[in-house]
Amino acid sequence: MSGPVLELMGRLMASYLEAPAKSGYEPFTPSEPTALASTLQVGDILLVEGNSRVAAIIKYLTQSTWSHAALYCGDIFGKRTEEGEPHVLLEAELGQGVITAPLSKYRSFHTRICRPYGLADDDRGKVIAFAVERLGLEYDLKNITDLLRLLVPLPLPARLRRRALAIGSGSPTRAICSTLIAQAFESVRYPILPRIELVPSRRKRREILHIRHHSLYTPRDFDISPFFQIIKPTIVAGFDYKIMLWGDRLKHLGPRTRHDAPEEARPMLAAAQPDPA
């Protein structure tokens, strides 16, 4: 088949994979936009629980909640939405390549912040620069090997699932896994999940770290990495369990319902029953 035909087939398959896997998706624990925005710092990684067909495949292959990762760069792109919101995320998307996005893109999704611990300011700048230099990079969809593989997510042994996201041409694969972010951190030799070699010595056992190939990294790896902190906006903002309003206790509050609860309690409202009529 000719190049244009393969390109068209690739785009059609990418469009199919990016479509929602199911309608009416509601995250179990959606993000609180204000707290999320005020908590993120440059260099943080935002993990996302997606709802597309390809997200479902990635979550199966990695046995994880997370299907996507974006790098928080701050307001450095000079790009805004029609509402004036700045683009602050840099990410690689299937069928689109490396793009920027506003934080509101993931307002209705379950997210998690992973923060590189102790990353020096100059290395943080290098990580961001590495990723920004690849902004606009497009992926060759004429090679459809990877997309065909993702359309048929056959049951795989656990030891093969990670490599299932890395074999093939690698072009579309890089748009759906965490390769770009892994490469950015590797550029300053910041560890994610390095391979550890144990070397015996006279005094004590030594550990020598070896960098894994970036194509083998997935969003889950930033979550389980011992070198990234898990930052929870609700706690950072000042969590007080005593001001939470539980649905089964609203009937004891008289006219005071969840709608006129104290402002500081609203983000932490834990309603166990529908609003009273």
Side-chain angles (χ1 to χ4, degrees), residues 17 54 58 61 67-68 92-95 139-141 143-150 161-180 213-219:
L17 287 168
V54 70
I58 294 172
L61 291 174
S67 62
H68 184 63
E93 284 276 20
L94 175 64
Y139 294 97
D140 184 8
L141 292 177
N143 192 327
I144 59 176
T145 305
D146 293 334
L147 294 177
L148 284 172
R149 185 186 70 250
L150 291 173
R161 287 173 185 159
R162 180 182 294 268
R163 290 193 175 273
L165 288 172
I167 63 175
S169 70
S171 296
T173 299
R174 283 198 295 269
I176 61 174
C177 70
S178 303
T179 293
L180 174 64
H213 193 271
H214 51 255
S215 66
L216 297 178
Y217 282 108
T218 67

Side-chain angles (χ1 to χ4, degrees), residues 18-162:
E18 288 179 313
K22 56 184 178 180
S23 60
Y25 166 78
E26 291 185 9
F28 188 72
T29 53
S31 302
E32 204 290 302
T34 303
L36 183 66
S38 63
T39 303
L40 280 163
Q41 297 179 7
V42 172
D44 286 352
I45 297 170
L46 185 69
L47 302 183
V48 182
E49 180 186 22
N51 183 44
S52 63
R53 292 188 176 100
V54 70
I57 295 169
I58 294 172
K59 286 188 282 187
Y60 160 71
L61 291 174
T62 62
Q63 294 296 286
S64 169
T65 297
W66 314 112
S67 62
H68 184 63
L71 182 65
Y72 183 79
C73 300
D75 188 5
I76 65 172
F77 303 111
K79 187 175 181 181
R80 280 170 162 67
T81 65
E82 293 180 356
E83 295 75 24
E85 181 188 1
H87 283 220
V88 294
L89 300 174
L90 186 145
E91 59 187 0
E93 284 276 20
L94 175 64
Q96 300 181 59
V98 183
I99 60 174
T100 63
L103 194 56
S104 61
K105 178 178 180 179
Y106 299 114
R107 177 181 294 139
S108 60
F109 289 83
H110 181 200
T111 59
R112 169 163 292 172
I113 299 173
C114 297
R115 180 167 297 163
Y117 183 80
L119 183 63
D121 289 341
D122 58 338
D123 283 342
R124 190 187 315 276
K126 291 176 183 177
V127 167
I128 300 300
F130 182 98
V132 171
E133 285 176 3
R134 284 143 184 82
L135 187 61
L137 182 66
E138 295 183 355
Y139 294 97
D140 184 8
L141 292 177
K142 291 191 296 293
N143 192 327
I144 59 176
T145 305
D146 293 334
L147 294 177
L148 284 172
R149 185 186 70 250
L150 291 173
L151 284 171
V152 188
L154 299 175
L156 291 171
R159 61 186 178 85
L160 297 179
R161 287 173 185 159
R162 180 182 294 268

Side-chain angles (χ1 to χ4, degrees), residues 196-199 205-209:
I196 299 177
E197 177 186 1
L198 300 179
V199 180
R205 186 176 66 176
R206 299 178 57 194
E207 294 183 351
I208 298 179
L209 305 183

